[in-house]
Amino acid sequence: MKIKLNDMQFHSYIGFYAAEREVGQDITINVTLTLPDCPLETYLTDDLTQTVNYGDVYDLIATMATAKNETKLIETLAARMIQTIHRQFPNEIELVTVRIKKHNLPIAGILDSAEIELEG
């Protein structure tokens, strides 16, 4: 089974340039959690302990995405998110895929956004 958290919007302080880390910018994050295969009956129990509470995952992502620190690359942020999710849910999740889209880039040109995808 897969759980997808789509189009989470945050004002982040990630960036290579100091101004990006001071002023911040908007990013969009998508996370896909791949859980081990279970019989359909597992989900028919209607029991949250049989799956992953995606509200908890959202809280982890939000905290990391909005933190003011010295992280410069969205690639680094994605890798840290994957590690943190695996640490928080060591037996419940097989694979985490994180996509981060950075808007309003400090690039001289016409460009809507830049996006990375990392899984682990």
Side-chain angles (χ1 to χ4, degrees):
M1 180 181 70
K2 292 185 180 186
I3 296 173
K4 297 182 179 186
L5 286 78
N6 298 314
D7 297 325
M8 295 176 280
Q9 307 286 318
F10 302 103
H11 190 77
S12 185
Y13 297 89
I14 304 299
F16 179 77
Y17 300 105
E20 291 180 286
R21 293 189 305 279
E22 291 170 16
V23 176
Q25 60 200 304
D26 295 330
I27 61 173
T28 301
I29 301 176
N30 292 283
V31 173
T32 301
L33 310 170
T34 303
L35 282 61
D37 288 332
C38 291
L40 183 61
E41 291 75 23
T42 301
Y43 302 111
L44 291 171
T45 64
D46 205 26
D47 182 359
L48 185 58
T49 65
Q50 298 299 314
T51 186
V52 172
N53 184 335
Y54 49 82
D56 292 343
V57 176
Y58 177 89
D59 290 343
L60 289 173
I61 297 298
T63 298
M64 297 180 77
T66 59
K68 287 190 175 183
N69 57 43
E70 293 300 313
T71 303
K72 296 177 181 167
L73 302 175
I74 55 177
E75 293 88 334
T76 303
L77 178 60
R80 290 178 180 164
M81 288 177 172
I82 291 168
Q83 281 186 330
T84 301
I85 291 169
H86 277 301
R87 269 192 237 119
Q88 186 75 22
F89 304 96
N91 301 314
E92 296 94 333
I93 298 173
E94 289 184 343
L95 181 68
V96 178
T97 304
V98 175
R99 289 182 15 235
I100 301 176
K101 183 185 291 187
K102 193 172 177 183
H103 306 277
N104 305 318
L105 300 161
I107 295 174
I110 300 170
L111 178 67
D112 177 64
S113 62
E115 181 175 346
I116 62 97
E117 181 174 322
L118 187 63
E119 63 181 28

